[in-house]
Amino acid sequence: MNTKLDPWSSSDITDYSKLFEEFGISPFENVLPEIPSPHKYMRRKVIFGHRDYEQIAEAMRTGAPFSVMDGFMPSGRVHLGHKMVMDQIVWHQEMGASAFVGIADREAFSVRGFSWQKCREIGVEEYILSLIALGFKPEGLIYFQSGCGSVKDLAFELGAKVNFSELSAIYGFSGETSLSHMLSVATQAADILQPQLEEFSGPKPVVVPVGPDQDPHLRLTRGLAGKMNMFKVEEREDVKTGRKYLSVRGKTAQKEALQELKKRIPGKVKLYEEHIDVLEYPDLAGLEKIVREVAVELGGYAFIPPASTYHRFMSGLQGGKMSSSIPESQIALTDDPKEGAKKVKRAKTGGCVTLEEQKKLGGKPEECSVFELMLFHLLDDDRELLEIRQECVSGTRMCGSCKQLAAEKMHEFLKDHQEKRELAREQLDEYRIIYKN
Ligand code: TRP
Ligand code: SF4
């Protein structure tokens, strides 16, 4: 069966394991040991999957340049779901990444019909203030898509490498889909590849932390990265001897480019009309590095396919899906702290109907939205969380005490966050923000 991932619908994704098989997303556990000091979302399996995160982990360990990139469509109020993404951006920035945040006003304009003015207001007032309040540092770049010339230019170029059939296969676009909507998709791919442009010091690993609904964008962008590149490195096998070797195709490259490349590769190299066979250089990563250097020097592209991480979504506070259209299902970062605390107290738990029953049978933390709030946002101490879980399961903990604790923590968090938002408002000038003019 086909799992449809649609970034613009609100379909529930319940079975995450399907994503592994169908879309080639790898379990996050595999890279966890390679990460110096993993974020709590990683330790707690909130982040469950990734593509190519090995290269990010390696960059963090070795101090090599890498980036984190994410985008937000300015569509409504900023809430806990956005906080999850923002926390990850800030964390990667702390781990040494150069950070890029795009406010997807092109997407809001084309998909939601919002005016530029409205996009700007929501972009600043909701998303940017909270991003800064959550710790985003001024070295990072924040831009509105429609104010960013390099993103728009790149989007147009990328558009030459994708046609309507591909877009409809990925997104289910039809004859009714507007040209602007399609352009917003190309723009998003440009968002993701921009950190590797020469003006941001060239090719490097980039990680895009997203929810699984955004994966179609990543698949498209990874494909486009390959299509834009001047060279393509492949592993080949000699049919007669069975010997493995590497081969570089110059897809968009001129003859001179291949000749230049030939000079730089050590060992035995054979130059053909449109490719080079590399017979004595078994180091794929090393060869890719040489190839990237030559491509960039000659003015071509050498994008590394973007890496990504995938996080679970929190369920709604009343059960079901967390959704902006149901205010009771979620907590906005600008909710009055008292109101936020009340929402916690009204939330659905995994407890039993009567206290007696609960003492006998225990509760179900995995079906409890209060527990989820603590797991995702409110408790930093893994041990405390584990204790709560054990007490719950064994029937020694009652929901009232969890709700009390979570409500207090939520109140505290919202109050503190909103104070920081006001500070952020005063510091906006210190940030690199590209607005639409
Ligand atoms: N499509 C994303 C959303 O709906 C926003 C977005 C724009 C984005 N550009 C991006 C996400 C680049 C990740 C990377 O919110
Ligand atoms: Fe949830 Fe706590 Fe109740 Fe367990 S005791 S179901 S964790 S609220």
Side-chain angles (χ1 to χ4, degrees):
M1 222 195 69
N2 243 2
T3 323
K4 193 90 215 242
L5 289 178
D6 179 353
W8 297 285
S9 90
S10 49
S11 64
D12 236 340
I13 296 156
T14 39
D15 187 357
Y16 291 115
S17 63
K18 276 197 195 133
L19 296 169
F20 297 146
E21 292 149 31
E22 274 192 47
F23 298 114
I25 293 172
S26 312
F28 200 79
E29 292 162 292
N30 301 356
V31 276
L32 195 58
E34 298 170 31
I35 303 167
S37 42
H39 189 271
K40 73 174 181 214
Y41 295 151
M42 299 171 170
R43 303 193 306 266
R44 297 175 184 180
K45 301 194 179 164
V46 169
I47 295 174
F48 65 89
H50 77 97
R51 280 187 213 268
D52 285 359
Y53 198 81
E54 295 88 357
Q55 43 170 339
I56 301 296
E58 189 186 327
M60 290 190 302
R61 287 195 313 268
T62 60
F66 71 107
S67 294
V68 58
M69 189 298 129
D70 237 309
F72 298 94
M73 169 155 70
S75 56
R77 298 184 65 191
V78 60
H79 54 65
L80 290 175
H82 300 116
K83 172 180 176 285
M84 262 170 72
V85 178
M86 292 175 179
D87 283 342
Q88 295 176 62
I89 299 171
V90 168
W91 182 80
H92 280 100
Q93 200 181 22
E94 280 163 5
M95 299 301 283
S98 57
F100 296 75
V101 174
I103 304 295
D105 56 353
R106 280 187 150 195
E107 191 174 347
F109 187 102
S110 62
V111 179
R112 299 289 170 96
F114 287 5
S115 70
W116 299 122
Q117 183 53 30
K118 185 166 177 179
C119 289
R120 169 151 176 168
E121 270 164 30
I122 299 179
V124 175
E125 197 50 46
E126 296 290 331
Y127 298 83
I128 296 179
L129 291 183
S130 275
L131 177 69
I132 295 174
L134 289 169
F136 191 78
K137 281 184 279 308
E139 297 77 48
L141 176 68
I142 303 172
Y143 62 91
F144 285 75
Q145 286 174 328
S146 50
C148 189
S150 47
V151 159
K152 288 193 285 186
D153 286 348
L154 182 57
F156 186 79
E157 281 184 50
L158 292 170
K161 300 282 181 208
V162 60
N163 62 32
F164 180 70
S165 310
E166 290 166 87
L167 289 185
S168 57
I170 298 177
Y171 297 109
F173 283 176
S174 71
E176 312 297 305
T177 308
S178 75
L179 176 56
S180 297
H181 191 176
M182 292 185 230
L183 277 172
S184 82
V185 170
T187 310
Q188 166 140 340
D191 283 333
I192 297 172
L193 294 176
Q194 159 160 271
Q196 301 194 61
L197 292 181
E198 221 186 338
E199 58 183 294
F200 297 108
S201 62
K204 66 179 80 56
V206 178
V207 60
V208 189
V210 289
D213 61 319
Q214 299 291 311
D215 188 55
H217 298 307
L218 276 139
R219 274 181 287 142
L220 175 71
T221 308
R222 287 168 63 89
L224 283 173
K227 289 186 198 167
M228 296 294 281
N229 287 351
M230 183 179 251
F231 303 112
K232 185 179 159 99
V233 183
E234 292 167 343
E235 280 177 299
R236 299 249 171 133
E237 199 180 290
D238 189 315
V239 260
K240 278 187 234 132
T241 63
R243 240 188 87 179
K244 293 220 166 42
Y245 64 97
L246 297 170
S247 176
V248 186
R249 319 225 116 226
K251 283 185 310 168
T252 59
Q254 310 285 332
K255 226 178 153 89
E256 303 83 69
L258 281 176
Q259 271 160 358
E260 180 57 34
L261 187 59
K262 179 174 180 265
K263 279 191 235 152
R264 311 267 187 109
I265 304 172
K268 199 167 151 212
V269 166
K270 255 189 173 153
L271 177 64
Y272 296 88
E273 194 62 26
E274 280 176 1
H275 70 281
I276 296 177
D277 283 344
V278 183
L279 303 166
E280 286 170 353
Y281 195 73
D283 173 12
L284 178 62
L287 180 61
E288 281 176 336
K289 188 156 175 283
I290 298 175
V291 164
R292 277 200 295 275
E293 277 164 13
V294 174
V296 170
E297 271 174 45
L298 298 178
Y301 289 119
F303 293 119
I304 298 171
S308 47
T309 59
Y310 300 89
H311 51 252
R312 287 203 284 136
F313 295 117
M314 255 189 345
S315 38
L317 297 180
Q318 308 289 333
K321 202 186 175 273
M322 193 173 256
S323 156
S324 340
S325 48
I326 317 166
E328 277 301 296
S329 74
Q330 64 157 349
I331 293 176
L333 302 186
T334 50
D335 272 348
D336 176 346
K338 288 205 195 82
E339 189 47 41
K342 263 193 218 149
K343 284 187 186 173
V344 175
K345 291 211 164 156
R346 286 195 292 258
K348 174 184 161 283
T349 72
C352 301
V353 182
T354 67
L355 286 182
E356 259 145 64
E357 231 182 305
Q358 188 158 346
K359 281 182 192 155
K360 216 165 38 191
L361 304 170
K364 295 190 176 119
E366 60 290 337
E367 289 171 21
C368 174
S369 61
V370 176
F371 188 78
E372 268 194 332
L373 279 173
M374 299 190 278
L375 176 101
F376 280 72
H377 299 287
L378 300 175
L379 287 186
D380 285 329
D381 184 349
D382 287 356
R383 246 190 340 204
E384 193 181 353
L385 195 69
L386 208 63
E387 258 169 42
I388 292 180
R389 169 185 284 267
Q390 276 156 356
E391 287 172 15
C392 168
V393 173
S394 65
T396 53
R397 190 176 182 93
M398 297 299 119
C399 297
S401 60
C402 280
K403 282 188 169 179
Q404 186 59 33
L405 176 69
E408 274 166 29
K409 295 252 180 204
M410 183 55 77
H411 187 281
E412 200 182 316
F413 163 73
L414 289 173
K415 191 162 167 288
D416 175 65
H417 181 68
Q418 289 163 22
E419 281 166 17
K420 287 182 175 147
R421 280 173 51 91
E422 289 319 304
L423 286 177
R425 195 189 298 284
E426 286 158 30
Q427 292 164 355
L428 273 181
D429 289 349
E430 294 162 32
Y431 281 78
R432 291 201 288 158
I433 305 177
I434 307 177
Y435 296 99
K436 176 179 167 56
N437 46 24

